[in-house]
Amino acid sequence: MERYDIAVVGLGALGSGAAYQAAVKGAKVIGFEQFELGHVRGASHDTSRIVRTSYGSPEFVALARSAYKDWAELEKRSGLNLLDITGGVVFLPRGGPIPASDFTNSLDANSVPYELLDSQEVNRRWPGFNLPDGIDAVYTADTGIVHASKAVTTMQYQARAHGAILREKTRVDRVIPDGSGVIIDTSKGQVRADKVILAADAWINKLLRPLGNEIPLTVMQEQITYFKPDNPALFEPERFPVWIWAGEKCFYGFPTYGEPTIKAGQDVQQNVMAPENRTFVPSRKVFNTLKDHMDMTIPDHGQDARTVTCQYSITPDRQFMIGPLHKHPNVIIALGNGHAFKFAPAIGRVVAELAIDGKTTDDISKFPVPTPTASSSKL
């Protein structure tokens, strides 16, 4: 049987980050992807994702700061530009579920500079917006865009360049801890590894249930829409920031990026379906909700050009889960809860450190894998 130091299951953003970081550290690595590399069935495809340190929790800000260093190292190793810093603004309606102080306090705790703006200042500075009164806005200059599919491919290439074997179209059916490591049972045979990192996202419970564990995941089909404004120059990155609306419903969007369109979406659309039952057909109801918001806040967004679907897998609290199973410490979880792409090389590094060194240089105490109880088979 083939023997490896580390096996990685799932080669989206987090799994590719783990394979890359473990290979860079000198481990003998094998990674498995049940579909083709770069597929569109998960959450790591398309062109753009937001990178930011601006979060309402200090632990996320701290990990995001680490992630920027890991992105820079990946750019240096590959010779590629992966991040474009545009600046970004988070809109927080006064009286809404999230006060601006959550963000400013978290940024202050991590010494990240920001500006606190009102609606009038936002509309003046970026004429593409037409915000109503009663909005607090937290602007951070370090916010930007990472090219999603390019970044995942780059991590996979770097993993292979450092000796990792990545096998696509190879489904992992079971992981079997046996005291001296883990047997990985795949659709193309078995391999053995000292540690296995599970970054299987929506499919992770299929591997955890035989181990007597389960994560309370809700899987849903999400979608984003590209709009083609009549005046795309108004929305170029030099004149328009990345934005997030953190109200009763959450929305987010981008300036133009590689084409004369602007991308926007609603976060957590509750279009619930199992991965095997995904339709890949956009919801007109979800689109109409997004368009109503865009009409209110970005009235010159233009006509919709196309809508792209992806997939969210989230727990009730949307915290990351990073760490080993308590009963099976050779099995390490990397679950991003639908907002981890910006952290991918950092989470990949953290789980690689846990697998190789048994500890990590980052504080992940806020992202535990819960301890199972006698009355529950949950993690």
Side-chain angles (χ1 to χ4, degrees), residues 203-282:
W203 296 271
I204 197 168
N205 278 330
K206 292 182 179 180
L207 300 176
L208 291 178
R209 287 189 191 107
L211 302 177
N213 298 297
E214 188 172 357
I215 293 172
L217 279 183
T218 299
V219 180
M220 60 191 75
Q221 179 172 280
E222 297 282 293
Q223 65 189 56
I224 54 88
T225 296
Y226 289 83
F227 295 90
K228 191 176 188 308
D230 292 333
N231 181 15
L234 186 64
F235 300 99
E236 292 176 350
E238 298 79 12
R239 303 180 63 190
F240 194 75
V242 169
W243 60 270
I244 296 170
W245 178 279
E248 295 293 342
K249 293 180 178 179
C250 294
F251 302 88
Y252 58 92
F254 300 76
T256 60
Y257 184 65
E259 61 177 280
T261 63
I262 57 173
K263 171 182 169 180
Q266 180 186 350
D267 185 53
V268 189
Q269 296 159 14
Q270 295 298 335
N271 191 9
V272 176
M273 59 184 73
E276 58 270 19
N277 295 327
R278 268 189 66 190
T279 64
F280 297 87
V281 176

Side-chain angles (χ1 to χ4, degrees), residues 250-319:
C250 294
F251 302 88
Y252 58 92
F254 300 76
T256 60
Y257 184 65
E259 61 177 280
T261 63
I262 57 173
K263 171 182 169 180
Q266 180 186 350
D267 185 53
V268 189
Q269 296 159 14
Q270 295 298 335
N271 191 9
V272 176
M273 59 184 73
E276 58 270 19
N277 295 327
R278 268 189 66 190
T279 64
F280 297 87
V281 176
S283 161
R284 192 68 192 177
K285 179 180 178 182
V286 170
F287 169 78
N288 288 337
T289 300
L290 173 63
K291 185 177 181 300
D292 288 346
H293 181 79
M294 297 288 282
D295 289 345
M296 177 184 72
T297 58
I298 309 174
D300 296 326
H301 58 74
Q303 294 296 312
D304 55 298
R306 68 184 183 278
T307 296
V308 178
T309 66
C310 68
Q311 185 169 263
Y312 265 19
S313 307
I314 62 174
T315 63
D317 65 5
R318 292 199 73 180
Q319 293 279 8

Side-chain angles (χ1 to χ4, degrees), residues 89-96 98-104 115-122 126 131-139 244-247:
V89 62
V90 179
F91 301 131
L92 301 135
R94 293 170 196 159
I98 305 173
S101 59
D102 282 6
F103 279 77
T104 58
E115 296 179 62
L116 185 59
L117 311 173
D118 60 19
S119 301
Q120 290 75 23
E121 177 61 20
V122 169
W126 301 289
L131 297 185
D133 292 337
I135 307 295
D136 289 320
V138 179
Y139 173 78
I244 296 170
W245 178 279

Side-chain angles (χ1 to χ4, degrees), residues 157-181:
Y157 182 90
Q158 286 297 312
R160 282 174 161 161
H162 288 82
I165 295 172
L166 305 184
R167 292 181 179 168
E168 61 183 335
K169 300 179 182 177
T170 305
R171 185 186 66 253
V172 173
D173 295 318
R174 189 164 183 179
V175 295
I176 308 166
D178 65 357
S180 62

